[in-house]
Structure formats: structure tokens, C-alpha cells
Amino acid sequence: MTEQLTPEIPARLLGKIIDEVFNFAIEDPSVIEDIYRAIAKDVNSRAATKALLPDLAAGVEDALRKFEIGYFTIFEAMAAITAARSQYKAACAEVSRG
């Protein structure tokens, strides 16, 4: 499982970047904070999207199982898989907006 990042850069990490990367030669650390926020948002969004994959897999697996036992026709199975995929894409879009 992917670890989530805090939305704000920890003070210790900010200090380490200022020290090791900029050799204390940066007056306004807000640019570092902004970059960190953008990275954290992207990482957290990807982690949240990955967390949705088991639901998609379960929907596809259920449709295939029902097809195998004759409960679904191939068309019904494909419709169920398409519905699961649509729900996954909608959930991913919601995560991206969040």
C-alpha cells in the first residue's frame, strides 16, 4: 500500500532541504512548500485511486463468475463489467477533484 503524504511539509524536512539543497541560501521557503504541496496532492490522489482497484476487480470477477455458471449471458457479463468500469472511472474522477 502506498503511504500518504501530509498536506504540509514537515518542518524537519523543510529545514533539511534548506540546509542540504540550498545551503541556507534561500530567503523565502514558500516555493519549497508549494512544490511539496503539489507533490503530496499527486501522491495522495494516486494512492486513493489505487485503493479503488479492489472494487473494480470484484465487479469484474463477479460478472465473469456469473457468466461461467450460466447466470449471465456474455452480453450481460460485458454490461456488468462496463458498469463496474464506469463506477471506477467516476470514483477516480471524484478523487481527482477532491
Side-chain angles (χ1 to χ4, degrees):
M1 184 173 166
T2 305
E3 189 174 318
Q4 294 227 343
L5 298 176
T6 59
E8 297 297 323
I9 188 167
R12 186 182 65 70
L13 179 57
L14 180 60
K16 186 173 183 169
I17 292 171
I18 290 171
D19 178 24
E20 294 180 14
V21 176
F22 293 97
N23 199 24
F24 297 102
I26 187 168
E27 292 180 22
D28 182 11
S30 67
V31 70
I32 298 169
E33 295 166 336
D34 292 344
I35 292 169
Y36 177 88
R37 268 189 226 98
I39 292 170
K41 183 178 179 182
D42 183 66
V43 167
N44 294 343
S45 176
R46 288 173 191 252
T49 300
K50 272 187 171 179
L52 299 171
L53 283 174
D55 291 339
L56 172 62
V60 170
E61 182 180 8
D62 183 58
L64 292 175
R65 185 177 45 77
K66 287 178 179 175
F67 172 69
E68 281 182 334
I69 64 171
Y71 186 76
F72 273 178
T73 66
I74 188 66
F75 301 109
E76 291 168 322
M78 291 306 298
I81 291 169
T82 300
R85 183 174 175 264
S86 295
Q87 290 173 346
Y88 173 74
K89 287 176 77 174
C92 287
E94 187 66 31
V95 165
S96 294
R97 284 191 295 273

